[in-house]
Amino acid sequence: MIRRWPFLIPFLFMTAGLAVSALSGMYCDTAVLPALFLCLLLSSVLPKPWLFSACTALLFFLWGLCALQPWLSPEISPHSIRTKSSNSPVTIEGIISARPSVTPEGSRLTVEVERIIEREQAETVSGLLLLSIDEGDVVMARGDRIRFVTRISVPRRLGLPGEFDYYRYLALQGIAATGRVASQSDIVLIRAAAVKSMLRTSDRIARILGDSIRTSIPDARISSVLTALLIGDQRRIPRDLSDAYTRAGVNHILSISGFHIGIVAAFITVMIIWFLTRFEYSALHWNTRRNAVLIAVPAMLGYLFLTGNAPATARSVIMLSVFALALFAERERDAINTLLFAAFFLVAINPPTLFDVSFQLSFLALWGILIAVPLIMKCTGTVTSPWLRSFTQFMSASVAASLVTILPVLYIFKVASVNGIVTNFLIVPLLGYGAVLSGFIALPLIMLFPTFAPWLLWPTATLVTISNQFILWCASLPVLTFHGITSWDMFFFLLFMTAMTFLTSRILLLAASVLLPLSALVIHIYTATESDHRLHVTMLSVGQAESLLVQLPGGSTLLVDGGGYLHDTGHDFGQRVLAPALGALHVGRIDTMISTHDHPDHSGGLPFIIRNVPVGEFWSGPEMSPEMQRELNSRGVPMRTVIAGDVITLPGPVVITVLSPSMSVHGETGNDELSVNEQSLVFRLSYGNFSMLFCADAGFEAERQMLAGRYAIKSTVIKVGHHGSRFSTSTEFIERIQPGLALISAGKGNRFGLPSKQTLDLLSAKGVPVFRTDRDGTIELVTDGVTWSVSTPFKPE
């Protein structure tokens, strides 16, 4: 096996070590690597191949355990930017260290910080900071020295099941902190090109080309796709158009990968052959085909840097370079070996590449193509028509790439499309062959003749226009949405792919085809959530927002609020935060959805859940936004208005008593914002001897109304009102409730200073233990109606 696939064991065990290290936080001491390398050298001279294989596997597995430590667990010096987190703004100076990223929602700069200035005192610091610019484009480039004022924030996990690990995502890029400014005018350019490099030059060329395309094609929906296809700038594509390409299953065409590089390399090779054959000496004395392929390699490398050196593009260039060198040397070419070498090389020189989504998906897609296409073409060996064979090969490659990536895409994004099997037949020729080739030919010409750029780009723009119109229609077709794909599923999927590639025995192949999917199914059945006849209340750690999941003893579910962003960010909170959490908790249906009041930090995540998860019934107070009503009506969800005095019995039996709002509360305060909070839906949930009071954002006025009412409010647990604000949770209210536990939902370091010291001091004085999402992450409370317990299973580090 080592002789046939020399990079299999090194790559397999290196990635295994990296995965174990990333998931467990376990690292190996690098001091053992020299000793293991010596053992490997000694085993190479012994007549025992198994010993050499074992030493190779152990060396690369332990190397994988070592490799991520500089990114995920670095030694933090006193001068690191990580230690400078502060709520007060500071002045920062540094060098832009990567190509600026521009999106429709703003821009981002990666800055190598050199010093910070606070209270007129300068301090030398080090580390990368990701600076977000809320509005506008940026004209600065890699290597420029800049100055700006921002609050330094160190990324932190929320402690939420299923959450996107933003901390690790940034850490794998070497980014230690983040900051934000309103616009480019808040950034001062101190010195342009303070650090010169070849990468800066390629960035500037890419910027000139991109600006020329955007100037020549004013329609952003066309020019943004053009810049993605030709220079790798995908982030400018409007979000709805990007989502449409994803839903249509052809978003891969927008990232420069093997397909684009192959077309460009083939065009360059053909042009070089044409040029060399124009001269008698080169045509007679040189092997023009071999030399043309070799000459194309530097051109591919130049294009790699021009397009931003993305992992998927680098993998493609490495593979094509290996094929070119093998062709030049007249050596046998093996596609699987070439893929293994390219993946091994990229991960070895930069271990975080393994966790780059574009690298993972492009690697898996090509892997699937290399497995499936030869088998299909072998089965169609009787087909003699060249056109029919080419069509069969294209169709099998499209189907293989689409099917092999469905499971990984569902695991990463929770939504996948099978529409790509159909849409690829039009989009790949239209954009892949037509737009990429015509656009690549136009790129050098628009540099030389900028006046004629609109005419030079017209054919490419026309093809993109047709593509966009077709994609928007395809986006209306149904997609797969599923949150149940687990790490175990991905493990068995990769084992299955490995078996299909490297096993030669038919018996073993048959056994792997049956046993591996069966093992994944058994684990799903074994780990399926079954009712334990207890009441579960889970306060989800959703930042400066609020959402609680209640799972009744019989298995029914209540979702109380859905969290949300305080301000419009251009993102869907339900899709990005709430739905993954519910999926991780194996919640596939919401029997009762409760919206306590119409504030974005409580109701912002609910619309996405309504659209994508079955909802049995929707409860709210008298006030409901028209947008929420439209969502509910479109899905046929029954709506129920509840007010103080309503008593509802649910399976268990669990009894819900509504305490607020009473109709008299509405409009009593002259402040509209307070009015909405005071109308919050407050209810008491009881199960046996256990009870819990859900106070939403109710303040003092609503509390006075409840204290004056005739309903019992004494409760075992209180969900503290308004995130622990000083305008709620009065002394009289707490004395009447007599809680044994208080839960507070708040965001870490929020600008409101919540929970307030006044509220915390009151709870402490009354001897009430407090659990907070900003400190404890997601909080789970479990009771059998007699005893109860509280835990923090996802507590952030």
Side-chain angles (χ1 to χ4, degrees):
M1 182 173 287
I2 288 184
R3 290 184 178 181
R4 184 175 178 184
W5 296 297
F7 291 98
L8 175 60
I9 288 179
F11 179 68
L12 184 64
F13 283 88
M14 178 179 66
T15 54
L18 290 169
V20 169
S21 176
L23 293 173
S24 67
M26 184 171 60
Y27 304 102
C28 173
D29 191 342
T30 55
V32 305
L33 296 182
L36 275 175
F37 183 70
L38 181 60
C39 292
L40 180 65
L41 292 178
L42 293 174
S43 66
S44 66
V45 299
L46 297 176
K48 296 182 178 180
W50 66 267
L51 183 61
F52 180 76
S53 299
C55 289
T56 301
L58 185 60
L59 173 64
F60 281 97
F61 179 76
L62 293 180
W63 182 85
L65 287 178
C66 301
L68 288 178
Q69 189 168 7
W71 286 272
L72 298 183
S73 185
E75 293 184 6
I76 301 176
S77 72
H79 300 291
S80 171
I81 191 71
R82 292 178 187 267
T83 64
K84 309 303 177 184
S85 177
S86 174
N87 287 329
S88 58
V90 296
T91 301
I92 295 178
E93 287 185 8
I95 302 289
I96 300 175
S97 62
R99 180 178 294 188
S101 171
V102 181
T103 71
E105 291 82 27
S107 306
R108 288 185 173 185
L109 298 176
T110 303
V111 181
E112 178 66 49
V113 179
E114 296 178 323
R115 65 173 184 161
I116 62 173
I117 303 170
E118 187 174 13
R119 301 186 185 93
E120 299 183 356
Q121 296 292 320
E123 179 183 0
T124 301
V125 295
S126 61
L128 292 180
L129 179 140
L130 181 65
L131 180 66
S132 298
I133 304 164
D134 292 336
E135 296 179 358
D137 203 341
V138 289
V139 296
M140 280 82 74
R142 189 193 316 243
D144 290 347
R145 178 172 282 113
I146 60 174
R147 175 185 290 182
F148 52 91
V149 177
T150 188
R151 292 181 176 86
I152 300 174
S153 174
V154 176
R156 179 183 180 273
R157 298 179 183 91
L158 290 173
L160 182 70
E163 76 172 298
F164 173 68
D165 196 340
Y166 189 58
Y167 170 84
R168 192 181 76 169
Y169 170 76
L170 292 181
L172 289 173
Q173 301 176 61
I175 295 171
T178 62
R180 182 177 297 274
V181 296
S183 67
Q184 181 181 275
S185 61
D186 296 316
I187 304 174
V188 177
L189 177 63
I190 297 177
R191 181 184 176 188
V195 176
K196 296 181 174 64
S197 67
M198 183 180 68
L199 292 176
R200 173 184 168 84
T201 302
S202 65
D203 287 355
R204 297 294 291 178
I205 294 172
R207 177 66 190 234
I208 292 170
L209 290 171
D211 288 344
S212 180
I213 292 172
R214 285 183 286 273
T215 301
S216 304
I217 313 293
D219 189 339
R221 301 177 72 83
I222 299 174
S223 63
S224 61
V225 174
L226 268 177
T227 55
L229 289 170
L230 300 178
I231 57 177
D233 185 4
Q234 302 178 55
R235 296 183 178 273
R236 294 177 185 266
I237 300 175
R239 184 169 301 278
D240 66 317
L241 184 59
S242 177
D243 290 343
Y245 271 86
T246 300
R247 290 179 64 87
V250 290
N251 58 319
H252 64 88
I253 203 74
L254 300 177
S255 61
I256 296 179
S257 57
F259 183 74
H260 300 71
I261 296 296
I263 291 173
V264 170
F267 174 74
I268 293 173
T269 302
V270 169
M271 294 304 297
I272 294 173
I273 291 175
W274 178 86
F275 179 78
L276 292 177
T277 55
R278 300 304 95 190
F279 300 96
E280 181 179 354
Y281 181 84
S282 58
L284 293 176
H285 296 86
W286 293 357
N287 186 325
T288 54
R289 182 168 172 262
R290 289 169 55 194
N291 283 283
V293 170
L294 190 64
I295 295 171
V297 171
M300 287 190 292
L301 291 173
Y303 192 56
L304 171 65
F305 289 114
L306 178 68
T307 57
N309 195 21
T313 313
R315 187 264 307 156
S316 307
V317 169
I318 291 172
M319 288 189 67
L320 288 170
S321 299
V322 170
F323 271 105
L325 293 173
L327 180 65
F328 183 80
E330 298 183 343
R331 299 292 299 271
E332 182 181 354
R333 301 175 297 281
D334 181 89
I336 293 293
N337 267 328
T338 307
L339 179 62
L340 282 171
F341 171 75
F344 174 79
F345 179 79
L346 287 172
V347 174
I349 62 174
N350 185 35
T353 299
L354 181 65
F355 304 94
D356 183 273
V357 173
S358 66
F359 169 81
Q360 294 171 354
L361 294 181
S362 66
F363 178 84
L364 288 171
L366 185 55
W367 190 4
I369 290 171
L370 294 179
I371 294 173
V373 172
L375 292 175
I376 296 173
M377 297 308 295
K378 185 177 180 180
C379 295
T380 59
T382 57
V383 178
T384 57
S385 169
W387 287 103
L388 188 56
R389 286 189 63 83
S390 297
F391 176 78
T392 304
Q393 189 173 32
F394 172 74
M395 182 177 67
S396 58
S398 175
V399 172
S402 298
L403 293 181
V404 82
T405 54
I406 283 180
L407 200 67
V409 167
L410 281 174
Y411 177 68
I412 297 169
F413 302 109
K414 317 305 178 189
V415 60
S417 173
V418 294
N419 304 329
I421 297 174
V422 177
T423 52
N424 272 318
F425 290 120
L426 178 62
I427 296 302
V428 169
L430 200 64
L431 293 186
Y433 294 114
V436 169
L437 189 56
S438 61
F440 182 75
I441 294 171
L443 280 182
L445 297 178
I446 63 177
M447 290 281 290
L448 297 173
F449 310 105
T451 305
F452 299 99
W455 289 274
L456 293 169
L457 291 170
W458 179 83
T460 312
T462 302
L463 294 173
V464 170
T465 302
I466 298 171
S467 170
N468 286 352
Q469 293 173 349
F470 179 69
I471 287 299
L472 290 174
W473 176 79
C474 291
S476 62
L477 299 175
V479 296
L480 296 175
T481 300
F482 187 60
H483 291 81
I485 304 299
T486 67
S487 299
W488 280 111
D489 294 320
M490 290 305 302
F491 174 73
F492 285 112
F493 167 73
L494 293 174
L495 281 183
F496 179 82
M497 292 283 290
T498 303
M500 294 300 102
T501 307
F502 300 108
L503 292 182
T504 55
S505 168
R506 291 188 176 182
I507 296 177
L508 292 177
L509 280 171
L510 180 61
S513 301
V514 174
L515 293 178
L516 291 176
L518 185 61
S519 299
L521 180 61
V522 168
I523 290 179
H524 269 282
I525 295 173
Y526 179 76
T527 58
T529 301
E530 296 183 359
S531 173
D532 59 1
H533 303 291
R534 296 188 296 173
L535 177 73
H536 294 251
V537 179
T538 305
M539 176 177 272
L540 300 172
S541 180
V542 290
Q544 188 53 38
E546 189 166 293
S547 182
L548 296 98
L549 175 69
V550 182
Q551 294 166 296
L552 303 186
S556 300
T557 55
L558 283 75
L559 181 64
V560 183
D561 287 336
Y565 300 113
L566 287 169
H567 306 287
D568 184 17
T569 64
H571 302 294
D572 191 320
F573 186 91
Q575 180 181 23
R576 293 168 66 96
V577 180
L578 186 56
L582 296 178
L585 294 172
H586 308 290
V587 176
R589 173 183 170 83
I590 303 297
D591 294 288
T592 305
M593 178 180 285
I594 302 174
S595 176
T596 61
H597 62 297
D598 189 35
H599 271 176
D601 58 328
H602 286 252
S603 62
L606 296 180
F608 182 85
I609 303 302
I610 294 169
R611 291 192 296 269
N612 294 277
V613 178
V615 177
E617 190 176 22
F618 184 88
W619 298 358
S620 71
E623 300 294 329
M624 186 194 307
S625 69
E627 294 80 6
M628 188 72 75
Q629 286 183 332
R630 282 195 295 270
E631 292 286 356
L632 294 165
N633 288 328
S634 68
R635 298 292 166 175
V637 178
M639 290 173 273
R640 180 173 183 173
T641 300
V642 294
I643 59 173
D646 290 343
V647 179
I648 305 162
T649 301
L650 300 173
V654 171
V655 179
I656 290 182
T657 304
V658 181
L659 305 175
S660 185
S662 60
M663 299 307 293
S664 62
V665 172
H666 178 65
E668 281 197 3
T669 173
N671 187 306
D672 291 338
E673 190 71 13
L674 284 177
S675 171
V676 174
N677 285 335
E678 300 297 356
Q679 292 179 79
S680 293
L681 179 57
V682 179
F683 60 92
R684 181 177 181 267
L685 179 150
S686 61
Y687 173 56
N689 295 328
F690 173 86
S691 57
M692 179 170 173
L693 190 62
F694 292 75
C695 292
D697 273 1
F700 292 148
E701 179 59 33
E703 290 175 6
R704 281 194 289 269
Q705 293 283 335
M706 287 184 278
L707 288 171
R710 65 182 187 277
Y711 304 103
I713 63 173
K714 182 179 179 181
S715 301
T716 312
V717 178
I718 180 175
K719 196 294 297 178
V720 175
H722 206 182
H723 315 280
S725 164
R726 62 190 178 93
F727 298 108
S728 68
T729 317
S730 64
T731 302
E732 297 80 9
F733 197 57
I734 289 296
E735 289 176 347
R736 178 77 71 86
I737 297 169
Q738 300 178 27
L741 179 71
L743 305 182
I744 301 176
S745 181
K748 177 75 172 180
N750 66 84
R751 59 188 178 89
F752 307 104
L754 299 175
S756 70
K757 184 177 183 301
Q758 177 179 318
T759 301
L760 294 176
D761 288 345
L762 171 62
L763 294 170
S764 176
K766 298 299 180 182
V768 182
V770 176
F771 278 75
R772 303 160 39 178
T773 57
D774 63 331
R775 185 183 60 193
D776 303 308
T778 293
I779 304 161
E780 184 176 22
L781 193 152
V782 182
T783 178
D784 58 4
V786 180
T787 60
W788 58 273
S789 62
V790 63
S791 62
T792 55
F794 304 97
K795 189 167 185 174
E797 299 173 2

